[in-house]
Amino acid sequence: QVQLVVSGGGLVQAGGSLRLSCAASRSIRRIRNMGWYRQAPGKQRELVASITEDDTKNYADSVKGRFTISRDNAKKAAYLQMNSLKPEDTAVYYCNADRIWRGDGVWYGDVWGQGTQVTVSS
């Protein structure tokens, strides 16, 4: 089994910044597309940003110009730099990979990391 380990959440004042990290928990060969999602209380989980294996990025309109997604294929990791945070960004943030390959060729689909709480105070 493979896991994605998420770190970097916390409490920050409005206007502040946080950086989330997501890394595979064991030695793997390849990760295809990765994304960051969030879920606020009483709301559905939504896609915040995504990045393909060749670095094509997409963002939700609500975070464009404030958040930056990146990845390090050598480290099998993805990051979400969040600047100019707003109270409405408060949510549990999740990392996702749509497909992960182990070194022996076994692959896993739709892999999720554990959530990390991001709280932005006004």
Side-chain angles (χ1 to χ4, degrees):
Q1 189 61 279
V2 295
Q3 289 181 318
L4 294 173
V5 179
V6 178
S7 60
L11 173 64
V12 65
Q13 288 189 330
S17 298
L18 283 173
R19 185 175 188 249
L20 306 182
S21 298
C22 169
S25 62
R26 58 174 288 171
S27 177
I28 59 173
R29 180 166 61 91
R30 177 188 168 200
I31 302 179
R32 199 169 62 182
N33 303 317
M34 302 186 76
W36 288 96
Y37 291 74
R38 67 185 181 188
Q39 187 166 19
K43 295 188 176 181
Q44 289 189 334
R45 189 173 298 189
E46 63 173 353
L47 177 64
V48 175
S50 64
I51 185 167
T52 65
E53 199 168 4
D54 62 357
D55 241 31
T56 300
K57 304 171 186 179
N58 282 290
Y59 297 93
D61 288 343
S62 59
V63 306
K64 281 181 182 176
R66 300 188 298 122
F67 290 12
T68 302
I69 189 171
S70 61
R71 65 187 290 169
D72 185 330
N73 290 333
K75 294 183 178 179
K76 307 300 186 291
Y79 309 95
L80 186 67
Q81 178 66 43
M82 305 184 293
N83 298 329
S84 303
L85 282 160
K86 304 175 181 180
E88 51 263 45
D89 295 317
T90 295
V92 178
Y93 284 71
Y94 300 88
C95 176
N96 173 269
D98 72 342
R99 190 161 290 190
I100 297 178
W101 282 265
R102 291 187 339 198
D104 59 3
V106 173
W107 60 267
Y108 300 85
D110 197 28
V111 180
W112 289 89
Q114 88 284 6
T116 187
Q117 178 69 47
V118 171
T119 302
V120 184
S121 63
S122 57

